[in-house]
Amino acid sequence: MEFQYLGQSGLRVSRICLGTMNFGESTDKATAEQILHAAREAQVNFLDTADAYQRGASEEIVGELVAEDRDHWVLATKVGQQDGPAPRKMGLSRKWIMSAIDASLKRLRTDYIDIYYMHHRDRDTPLGESIRAMGDVIASGKATYWGFSNFFGWEIAEIIRLCDALGVPRPVVAQPMYNLTWRLPENDYLPACAHFGIGVAAFSPLGRGVLTGKYKQAATPPADSRAARGDRSLLNRDFQPETFRTVELIRDHAAERGMSAADFALRWALHNEIVTSVIAGPRTLEQWHAYLAALGHDFTAEDEEFANRLVPPGHPAAPGLNWSRHPPLGRRPRTG
């Protein structure tokens, strides 16, 4: 396993991070235990969960499974999920952050969290309030570092400005959605992280399974898949005709290189030197082994050129595609 320092911190993390969003839902506890043991054997030390995943069930399973070997893991969880069940629609107010950290610690059976993420931007709460609260969480010893996910690129600079003004430690990691069919973070998000020395743990490196090639356009999705369960983000964003055509070309190129489409997509994400780690969210032990197997392949300059011809840098595979979490905000029509 390869390791890399996370941003400008002294924290070394594995280049693959075990994502546990499925734990407690499509992945039962017994399978989760098998996956976690396989990750430990592969020397993976980075583990990601969130308070909103399965209404806290993911944290509970993770907490039980890592209790005997807690110090091995760089344990990350999150606060501020905006589209979770009603009890979690508390955003990033100081009141909710200070309460949520204690609830997460209890579910995770630990007295500290290595990385505490602001999960989503809460536009009803001043950003300075949220950052000051994160600083107090760190000062209390309940978290060692902090990071953020699902923000806009320009907001990264504002986060840094507020941290310096308020005397709060800067974030060490960002968590954007980034994959070969969704290259928009290359425009400003990733350059901002590189400029400010913020590590990047990219989520959805396989486009929620689309880049594995398991989905086919106009075909009924596999019964046990996200698409079959009605995942709106997947169906509305990733199920595009251009995306399916792109995946077919990736599969053909990868086969010539002795790889699967998933191998190629994962290696592509890791080939960006700005990316510290990729978050792999398996549902089954077989899927987890497939993630690990991808590390055994190399990625060449010719592969990079092929990817750039396929999807231009900074663009999605489907031209004009936007994501509801990152809507264009720069057009405000005049009224009256």
Side-chain angles (χ1 to χ4, degrees), residues 2-8 13 15 172 178 183 186 189-191 193-195 197-202 266-278 299 304:
E2 297 177 358
F3 296 85
Q4 192 166 319
Y5 285 103
L6 194 59
Q8 293 182 339
V13 297
R15 304 228 51 210
V172 301
Y178 180 56
R183 301 185 63 171
E186 295 172 351
Y189 196 109
L190 295 182
C193 288
H195 177 76
I198 299 171
V200 173
L266 196 70
R267 292 303 306 180
W268 175 87
L270 287 169
H271 197 61
N272 187 341
E273 66 178 15
I274 299 175
V275 174
T276 312
S277 183
V278 295
F299 198 89
E304 184 78 11

Side-chain angles (χ1 to χ4, degrees), residues 1-281:
M1 180 57 60
E2 297 177 358
F3 296 85
Q4 192 166 319
Y5 285 103
L6 194 59
Q8 293 182 339
S9 76
L11 190 64
R12 287 207 327 150
V13 297
S14 51
R15 304 228 51 210
I16 284 189
C17 172
L18 174 57
T20 65
M21 185 171 69
N22 293 319
F23 287 13
E25 186 192 38
S26 55
T27 303
D28 60 26
K29 180 184 171 184
T31 303
E33 185 172 13
Q34 292 177 331
I35 291 171
L36 190 131
H37 285 167
R40 181 68 172 89
E41 290 175 1
Q43 296 185 315
V44 169
N45 74 338
F46 200 4
L47 198 158
D48 182 87
T49 185
D51 64 349
Y53 293 164
Q54 321 318 329
R55 303 187 182 189
S58 173
E59 285 187 331
E60 290 174 351
I61 291 173
V62 167
E64 182 176 349
L65 295 180
V66 305
E68 294 183 359
D69 199 15
R70 169 66 184 92
D71 288 341
H72 165 77
W73 298 99
V74 175
L75 180 58
T77 193
K78 309 179 190 74
V79 60
Q81 173 71 282
Q82 297 300 299
D83 53 2
R88 303 206 185 283
K89 290 183 179 177
M90 302 297 182
L92 294 172
S93 69
R94 178 182 178 81
K95 177 179 175 59
W96 180 242
I97 288 174
M98 303 310 286
S99 172
I101 184 65
D102 288 337
S104 286
L105 289 171
K106 182 177 180 179
R107 286 189 292 267
L108 289 165
R109 303 189 185 189
T110 185
D111 56 4
Y112 74 100
I113 291 165
D114 294 290
I115 300 170
Y116 201 36
Y117 284 100
M118 296 196 298
H119 204 159
H120 293 278
R121 177 72 161 93
D122 178 5
R123 301 190 183 283
D124 295 322
T125 299
L127 185 55
E129 176 181 332
S130 305
I131 289 174
R132 193 187 295 275
M134 294 299 277
D136 289 342
V137 167
I138 290 174
S140 72
K142 295 177 182 179
T144 309
Y145 304 93
W146 74 282
F148 56 89
S149 180
N150 297 307
F151 278 60
F152 283 93
W154 67 266
E155 291 175 317
I156 297 174
E158 180 65 1
I159 288 172
I160 297 300
R161 185 189 72 81
L162 286 168
C163 284
D164 292 350
L166 297 172
V168 172
R170 291 183 175 188
V172 301
V173 61
Q175 194 178 113
M177 184 178 74
Y178 180 56
N179 58 62
L180 185 44
T181 58
W182 188 261
R183 301 185 63 171
L184 275 74
E186 295 172 351
N187 290 308
D188 56 3
Y189 196 109
L190 295 182
C193 288
H195 177 76
F196 290 111
I198 299 171
V200 173
F203 74 85
S204 199
L206 300 183
R208 298 212 167 189
V210 171
L211 280 160
T212 67
K214 71 178 180 181
Y215 297 116
K216 307 297 180 184
Q217 189 174 1
T220 301
D224 58 352
S225 66
R226 288 179 184 269
R229 297 196 300 270
D231 187 307
R232 289 180 297 173
S233 293
L234 174 64
L235 296 174
N236 295 335
R237 182 190 62 229
D238 301 299
F239 269 41
Q240 306 294 326
E242 298 90 345
T243 301
F244 284 113
R245 287 196 292 270
T246 298
V247 173
E248 290 177 4
L249 294 171
I250 292 171
R251 185 187 59 218
D252 293 343
H253 175 85
E256 294 178 358
R257 295 271 289 106
M259 290 187 272
S260 68
D263 292 336
F264 186 87
L266 196 70
R267 292 303 306 180
W268 175 87
L270 287 169
H271 197 61
N272 187 341
E273 66 178 15
I274 299 175
V275 174
T276 312
S277 183
V278 295
I279 300 172

Side-chain angles (χ1 to χ4, degrees), residues 280-304:
R283 180 176 50 81
T284 67
L285 181 61
E286 180 183 16
Q287 289 177 351
W288 176 244
H289 284 312
Y291 276 114
L292 294 177
L295 297 179
H297 298 279
D298 62 349
F299 198 89
T300 67
E302 290 73 21
D303 291 329
E304 184 78 11

